[in-house]
Amino acid sequence: MTSGADHPDAGGSLGGTSAAGGSAGGLVVAELRVDHAREPLGIDERRPRFSWLLRSERRGVRQTGYRVTVRALDGGPDAGPETWDSGWVPGADQLGVEYGGAPLTSRTRYGWVVRVRTADGTEATSERATFETAFLDPQEWSGEWLACVAMAPAVVSPLIRREFDLDGDVVRARAYVSGIGYSELFVNGTRVGDSVLDPAWTDYRMRVLYATYDVTEHLVRGANALGVALGNGWFEPMPSAVPSQLQPQVLLELHVELADGRRVAVVTDRGGAWLATADGPVVDHSIYGGETYDARREIEGWAEPGPRHRDSGARWRGALPVEPPAGVLRAQALEPIRVVDELTPVAVRRLGPDTHVVDLGQNFAGWVRIRLAGARGTVVTLRHAELLGDDGRVNTVNLRTAAATDTYVLAGGAARWFEPHFTYHGFRFLQVDGYPADLTAEDVVGRVVRSAVERIGEFRCDDELLNQLHRNVVWTEASNLHGLPTDCPQRDERLAWLNDMTVRGEQAVHNFGLARLYGKWFTDILDTQGATTGAIADTAPHVRYGRRPADPVVSSFLLVPWLMQAHYGERRWIERHYEDLARWVTYLASLRQDGIIEHSEIGDWAPPVSEAVAGSAGSGAMSAVTPGGLISTGFLHLDLRLMATFARLLGRDGDAEHYEAEAEAVREAINRRYLRRGPARYGPGNQSSNAFALYLGIVPADCEQEVLAELVRDIEEHDVHLTTGNLCTKYVMDVLGRHGRADVAMGLLRQRTYPSWGFMIEHGATTVWERWEHVTGGPLAGMGSHNHPMYGAVDSWFYRYLGGIAPVWDAPGFGRAVVEPLLPDGLGAVDCTIRTPRGPLTSAWSRSAEGTSFTVVVPANAQASVLLPVPPTAVVREGDAIVWGPDGRGEDVEGIDAVGAEPGGVRLELGSGRYELTVRG
Ligand code: BGC
C-alpha cells in the first residue's frame, strides 16, 4: 500500500473533492465498474478489476495517467483504512485495471475513486463508487444445507422459515443465499429483490452460485422472520446428477450489524429453529413442464413472525441438514434473471365455452401474469406455444416432451393475478382452458424474462426487411440468455450448445453487454473439461444432450474469451485459462490422421433439407454435402491461430511460434486434401466449403478470386439462395462483405423465398428459426424451434459491414476501432451504435442527391480509423472545412489526425468526438 505525496485525498475525504459530477474542464470520469458491474454487492474476486469511462465535450481526449484509491468503508464513510493507492500510473488504461492493494477482506464494503489526467493537462476525479465483498473463501460459510424431507412427491416446492429476535436497531444487513435449484427469499413476509429463477444454473457437482441481498430495510428491532421458497430448477432435467441431490435445498447466512456495533448472524442450521413444509401452493413444477399452483394451499403469513403460518393447517416439520452439493460455492458474478419487459396481447379470441387463445404478438421467453376469478377449485390451464394450428388452437408439436403448461387452481373470491415462480416458457400464443368467464387483453400480461444484461447495440437502416431481421435476432438472443446462452427457450432442451455459439457469440456481443454472463459460461465450459484428455463437451453445463469429447466445431471455447477481450477489454479468461484452452486444442490436434480430423458429428448443422442426410441426427440435420473433415480440420486451424494470438498477448512468443507453425501445417493439409483446381474450389465446391476456406484465410493467394467466383456462381445458380448450415451461413456473409461482394450479400438478405431469413419473415416470424424450413409439424418438428439464435449470427454483419465497425485486437474494448462502412447499392441509410466500455461508438451514413453524409462518434480516450468508401477525387467536408480535397490536401480540423487516400477510399484517423462529414463527388 502506497500513499504518494500528491495523494488525491490529501487533506480531504475520498471522493467528493472534485467539481460536481466529477467534472473538471468539461471532463467527467463516470460509470465506474468493478468487474463490469456498477456498485456490485457480494463479490468474491480477490483481485477485482476496475474500469471507468471519460466524457468530454472536447475532441481528441486522451488519458495520459490514472490513479485509483480504494478504502474500506466500514465504520463510517471515511473511517476505514485505505487499502490501495495505485499511485499515478501513466498511460491510457481505463479497462481491466487490477486491484493491487492489501488483501481484501470478506463481507466488507469498499469505496473507490479514480482520478485521471488527459493529454491537455486536465485532471478530473470521479464520484466515489462502491463494491462489497461476500465470502472470499468458501470455507468461511458456517451454515448447513437444509431441505424439507417429506413423504411428498419430490416435485413440490418446499417453504422454509425461521424466526429470530433483534434487540437493537439495524444499520446494515446482508443475506447470502444459495437455494438450489431456484429460490425466492422473503423477509418479514416481503419478497426480497426482483431476481427470478435464481441462482443461475451451473453443474452443481462443480460449482454452486449464491446471491447477496441487502435486507437492511426489511428487518426490524424485535421479532423477524426469514422465509425461502425453493424450486427444482435444473435438478429435474439433470438425470445424471447425484441422486441425493435431487431435492431443492438451501444454504443461507444473514449477517446483521446493529447500531451499537454488535454483529448478529442467523444461518441455516440443524438447531430446530428452521421449519419446513411441503404443503405450500406450488404443487408441481419443472422448467420444461410448467408450474401448478393451487391457491387453496396458500399459507398466510408463512414468512412472517408469529403463529399465523400454522393457521392453514400446513404441516411444519424441522428442516433437516442434507449432503452439500459437491460443487464449490461461488458468488453469482453475473446479472440475475429478471422480468425485463412486459407485453400486451394483440388479440384474445374465445374458442369455446371455457377456452381462449391469446396472441402476445411476439415470440419470447418468460411467462404471463394473468388475472383470474372463479369458484373455489376451478382449474385453469395455460398452454404455451410458438405456433397456432389451423383450428386456431395452440400447436405444441415442436415442444417435444415439454408440457409448457401452467395450471392454477383457484381459491374463490375476488379476481387476482397469478404468475409462475420456477419455470419459464418460449412462446407467442397462450391457450387458456377451463376458464368460463370472459378473458380480455387487460387480463393478460406477457412477462419477458431473461438475464438482465444491458442492451448495448442499435442498428437501423432504410430497408424495413433488414430492420425486421435485426429485431428478430435481438428478440431471439434475448429469449436465450438465462444465465447461459441457451439454444432455445421452448422445448425440452434449453442448453448452451458450443457449436451454435461458435457463430452466435459475435452477434451477441454487439447487442448485449455479456462480459459477466460469458465469464460465467466460460467457467461452465471449463467445468466440462476432462482432467486427463482435456476434452470439453458440446454443451455446458453438460447434461442430457451433447457428447464429450465435443465436436471439433466448438471453437466458441476460444472465441468467447477472444470476444471478451476484443469487445470488452476483459483478458482475465485468457490469462487464467490459457493452459486449459491449450489442453483442448492439443487434444483436437492429436486426432489428426494425415493432417486431417475426420471425426465430425455435428459439422455445418441443419442446412436446407435438400443438402442434409435424411433421417440423420437432429431430424436430418447433418450435412450431406460439406465434408466433415474439412469443417473439423478447419476449426482446428482457427483454434491454433487463436492460441497463437493468445500466446502473443501473454508474451509467450515461443508458444505463439509453435501454434503458428501448426496452423500453417493444418492449412497445407486442408489444401492438399480439399482444394481442387480448374476452377479452384474446396471439397464438392458447395457454398459452405468455399466460404469456410475463404473465411479461414487458408486459400492460396492465386486461387482466392476463383474460389470467391465459385461461391458467387453457386449462390446465383441457386437464384440467390443459401445452401449452408448454422455455421457457414455466417461465413458466406462475412466473406462476401470482406471480398467486395456486398451486393451478393444484400441479395441474400433481401431474399424472401425459401431458404432465407426473409422467408421466415414472410411467414410471420418475430424470431429466428432453427431450420430454414417452415416447420409446423412432420418429421422436422422435433428440431423445429422458432426461436433459435444460430441463424441470427448474421446480425453481426450489419454492425461489421454496413456500419463497418470492428474492434482492434491491440487496443481492446474499442480503444481503437475500425470504421469501414460498405455502401451497397439500393441501401440509402444506416445508423448503428455500440455502447462500448469506453462509451458510445456510432457509425451512420446516408445518401442524398447532393452526396453522402457520414456521422462517426468516437468515445473519449479512443480513436477510430475510418475508411470512407469514396473515390480519391471526392471532396470531404466537415461543416465548411475541407477535410480532404481533390488535390489530396485538406485543412487542419481538430480531432482529425491524418487523412489519406488508399485503394478502398479515403482514410481518416480520428480522435474522440463527434464528426459529421459530407462527401461530394
Ligand atoms: C440444438 C442445436 C445444436 C444441435 C447440435 C440441437 O439439439 O438445438 O442448436 O446445434 O443440437 O447437435
Side-chain angles (χ1 to χ4, degrees):
M1 188 169 89
T2 57
S3 186
D6 58 346
H7 189 287
D9 298 303
S13 61
L14 262 184
T17 54
S18 60
S23 153
L27 181 70
V28 177
V29 190
E31 291 206 23
L32 274 62
R33 292 179 189 239
V34 178
D35 289 334
H36 310 279
R38 304 281 294 274
E39 312 274 330
L41 198 64
I43 67 168
D44 64 356
E45 173 61 59
R46 288 171 188 273
R47 297 175 75 85
R49 297 184 184 198
F50 302 110
S51 63
W52 54 88
L53 58 80
L54 308 182
R55 291 198 193 108
S56 171
E57 297 301 309
R58 304 194 46 190
R59 283 189 174 174
V61 172
R62 294 289 291 156
Q63 178 190 297
T64 51
Y66 71 82
R67 180 167 188 173
V68 174
T69 47
V70 180
R71 180 188 290 278
L73 297 181
D74 289 352
D78 304 311
E82 185 178 273
T83 61
W84 189 41
D85 178 352
S86 70
W88 276 103
V89 179
D93 284 356
Q94 67 178 124
L95 306 177
V97 170
E98 189 170 280
Y99 176 76
L104 298 174
T105 53
S106 289
R107 295 190 282 104
T108 307
R109 192 160 182 77
Y110 293 89
W112 68 287
V113 169
V114 59
R115 172 170 275 204
V116 305
R117 282 182 188 146
T118 52
D120 62 359
T122 310
E123 276 188 24
T125 306
S126 72
E127 300 271 355
R128 180 171 61 208
T130 63
F131 66 95
E132 189 175 308
T133 53
F135 298 94
L136 294 174
D137 180 350
Q139 299 299 327
E140 294 167 23
W141 281 87
S142 60
E144 293 184 285
W145 285 92
L146 298 181
C148 175
V149 181
M151 291 290 283
V155 287
V156 298
S157 162
L159 303 174
I160 298 193
R161 63 171 266 124
R162 85 159 271 179
E163 292 182 28
F164 58 98
D165 282 333
L166 291 173
D167 60 354
D169 291 330
V170 177
V171 292
R172 184 167 76 155
R174 301 286 183 261
Y176 305 93
V177 186
S178 185
I180 52 173
Y182 291 143
S183 54
E184 294 181 346
L185 174 67
F186 295 76
V187 178
N188 293 332
T190 305
R191 176 77 199 285
V192 177
D194 57 0
S195 54
V196 294
L197 309 179
D198 216 27
W201 178 35
T202 52
D203 184 336
Y204 308 135
R205 296 163 296 183
M206 306 299 289
R207 266 170 331 119
V208 182
L209 303 183
Y210 63 89
T212 302
Y213 300 100
D214 179 354
V215 294
T216 314
E217 302 302 322
H218 292 82
L219 295 172
V220 293
R221 178 191 272 266
N224 290 276
L226 287 169
V228 180
L230 289 173
N232 291 320
W234 282 92
F235 279 126
E236 173 256 349
M238 275 178 84
S240 54
V242 184
S244 71
Q245 286 192 10
L246 287 172
Q247 63 183 343
Q249 53 195 67
V250 62
L251 175 69
L252 180 154
E253 292 201 12
L254 170 71
H255 289 265
V256 185
E257 282 172 42
L258 299 175
D260 57 11
R262 278 177 302 146
R263 287 166 188 254
V264 178
V266 178
V267 307
T268 43
D269 59 17
R270 67 186 70 195
W274 290 90
L275 301 176
T277 185
D279 298 338
V282 177
V283 293
D284 189 4
H285 71 284
S286 68
I287 304 239
Y288 301 150
E291 182 166 308
T292 299
Y293 186 95
D294 187 341
R296 296 169 305 180
R297 288 166 52 110
E298 283 173 351
I299 306 172
E300 287 289 320
W302 76 270
E304 290 169 9
R308 280 218 303 157
H309 63 285
R310 299 203 180 273
D311 292 355
S312 72
R315 181 175 167 208
W316 289 91
R317 54 202 19 108
L320 298 189
V322 288
E323 238 2 80
V328 62
L329 274 163
R330 294 302 311 266
Q332 176 156 282
L334 73 153
E335 298 81 352
I337 298 175
R338 292 200 175 105
V339 177
V340 297
D341 204 356
E342 293 193 336
L343 298 172
T344 306
V346 296
V348 179
R349 219 161 289 128
R350 193 179 195 123
L351 290 190
D354 60 2
T355 299
H356 293 80
V357 168
V358 181
D359 179 358
L360 276 305
Q362 173 65 51
N363 200 350
F364 71 106
W367 54 72
V368 297
R369 247 181 124 221
I370 187 164
R371 183 165 52 191
L372 300 170
R376 190 173 174 83
T378 305
V379 179
V380 183
T381 61
L382 277 55
R383 290 166 64 203
H384 303 77
E386 297 184 299
L387 305 166
L388 280 191
D390 294 339
D391 57 359
R393 289 168 189 268
V394 289
N395 172 354
T396 57
V397 67
N398 64 341
L399 305 188
R400 302 201 296 227
T401 65
T405 302
D406 293 343
T407 304
Y408 296 107
V409 185
L410 308 187
R416 52 170 284 202
W417 293 93
F418 291 90
E419 67 187 311
H421 306 80
F422 300 121
T423 189
Y424 74 98
H425 311 291
F427 67 109
R428 168 176 169 174
F429 302 103
L430 181 73
Q431 182 170 321
V432 182
D433 287 304
Y435 196 62
D438 264 343
L439 196 68
T440 71
E442 283 75 53
D443 298 320
V444 179
V445 179
R447 302 268 272 170
V448 180
V449 176
R450 63 164 166 84
S451 290
V453 294
E454 287 171 53
R455 267 296 300 282
I456 61 165
E458 272 145 39
F459 165 84
R460 59 178 181 276
C461 66
D462 66 339
D463 183 324
E464 265 320 300
L465 185 65
L466 270 58
N467 290 340
Q468 179 69 45
L469 173 55
H470 172 66
R471 267 197 300 279
N472 288 7
V473 173
V474 172
W475 270 107
T476 307
E477 184 61 38
S479 305
N480 284 287
L481 293 171
H482 292 93
L484 60 155
T486 59
D487 60 341
C488 56
Q490 74 297 85
R491 68 176 176 227
D492 54 356
E493 191 153 351
R494 312 183 201 189
L495 303 180
W497 281 88
L498 273 76
N499 62 319
D500 296 2
M501 278 293 293
T502 292
V503 290
R504 166 187 172 194
E506 193 178 330
Q507 165 276 117
V509 296
H510 284 93
N511 285 312
F512 293 93
L514 295 167
R516 289 193 284 161
L517 191 143
Y518 278 5
K520 181 267 180 188
W521 185 60
F522 179 74
T523 317
D524 291 330
I525 304 175
L526 292 171
D527 285 347
T528 76
Q529 190 163 31
T532 309
T533 59
I536 57 169
D538 287 320
T539 54
H542 182 217
V543 297
R544 201 174 172 103
Y545 297 116
R547 289 145 298 260
R548 188 176 82 186
D551 191 279
V553 296
V554 296
S555 288
S556 50
F557 185 35
L558 292 94
L559 283 166
V560 161
W562 187 92
L563 288 167
M564 285 195 277
Q565 165 71 344
H567 282 252
Y568 307 134
E570 175 55 86
R571 60 190 267 163
R572 146 183 358 201
W573 307 104
I574 300 168
E575 280 170 4
R576 293 192 181 164
H577 296 286
Y578 174 84
E579 304 291 349
D580 297 318
L581 295 164
R583 286 199 304 131
W584 163 243
V585 176
T586 303
Y587 171 84
L588 261 191
S590 75
L591 302 181
R592 281 174 295 177
Q593 284 168 341
D594 292 335
I596 299 295
I597 303 176
E598 295 291 353
H599 172 69
S600 171
E601 284 298 312
I602 299 179
D604 191 27
W605 185 252
V609 280
S610 57
E611 312 294 311
V613 182
S616 63
S619 303
M622 291 173 77
S623 173
V625 187
T626 310
L630 170 60
I631 293 288
S632 291
T633 317
F635 279 107
L636 173 62
H637 176 83
L638 181 63
D639 294 346
L640 289 164
R641 284 201 358 244
L642 288 165
M643 282 311 299
T645 304
F646 296 164
R648 294 249 180 247
L649 177 73
L650 303 182
R652 303 171 73 134
D653 289 343
D655 285 11
E657 279 157 30
H658 160 77
Y659 287 121
E660 280 154 9
E662 281 278 281
E664 184 52 29
V666 170
R667 165 191 155 115
E668 281 164 16
I670 294 176
N671 284 339
R672 252 194 327 271
R673 177 77 66 93
Y674 296 106
L675 173 60
R676 315 234 174 111
R677 296 190 184 247
R681 64 200 185 282
Y682 280 78
N686 64 329
Q687 294 173 17
S688 293
S689 301
N690 285 332
F692 190 41
L694 285 165
Y695 178 82
L696 292 172
I698 61 172
V699 183
D702 61 323
C703 299
E704 226 173 54
Q705 283 310 316
E706 270 179 49
V707 176
L708 179 68
E710 278 300 286
L711 172 64
V712 171
R713 187 188 53 72
D714 193 89
I715 293 170
E716 281 165 357
E717 257 172 30
H718 285 86
D719 216 5
V720 196
H721 289 94
L722 289 161
T723 61
T724 44
N726 66 343
L727 304 176
C728 292
T729 296
K730 169 178 164 50
Y731 303 145
V732 169
M733 295 299 294
D734 285 347
V735 158
L736 294 171
R738 216 189 271 171
H739 290 272
R741 295 311 304 265
D743 57 326
V744 182
M746 287 299 294
L748 293 166
L749 287 168
R750 288 189 162 134
Q751 184 55 261
R752 286 177 185 266
T753 57
Y754 168 82
S756 68
W757 296 280
F759 174 74
M760 300 180 193
I761 291 168
E762 286 289 305
H763 283 75
T766 56
T767 40
V768 180
W769 301 342
E770 178 176 20
R771 309 302 281 252
W772 291 118
E773 292 73 28
H774 185 218
V775 180
T776 57
L780 300 190
M783 297 290 281
S785 153
H786 285 238
N787 198 348
H788 223 78
M790 61 198 198
Y791 282 118
V794 64
D795 196 66
S796 55
W797 201 88
F798 295 149
Y799 292 96
R800 176 69 189 86
Y801 293 99
L802 296 182
I805 298 175
V808 173
W809 180 252
D810 294 333
F814 294 95
R816 186 175 168 78
V818 160
V819 179
E820 301 186 350
L822 301 177
L823 273 62
D825 284 347
L827 202 62
V830 162
D831 188 348
C832 62
T833 293
I834 303 170
R835 276 180 289 285
T836 77
R838 297 169 201 269
L841 172 65
T842 295
S843 166
W845 54 265
S846 63
R847 297 189 228 246
S848 67
E850 292 85 58
T852 312
S853 326
F854 294 88
T855 302
V856 180
V857 180
V858 186
N861 200 31
Q863 294 160 279
S865 184
V866 179
L867 186 68
L868 303 177
V870 298
T873 50
V875 178
V876 181
R877 280 198 177 76
E878 194 185 39
D880 293 333
I882 296 187
V883 174
W884 172 259
D887 55 356
R889 283 208 306 276
E891 299 164 41
D892 276 349
V893 177
E894 196 196 354
I896 302 183
D897 293 335
V899 189
E902 56 184 75
V906 173
R907 170 83 58 190
L908 276 64
E909 300 296 340
L910 304 182
S912 68
R914 182 184 185 91
Y915 302 84
E916 307 274 1
L917 305 163
T918 51
V919 179
R920 304 273 152 84

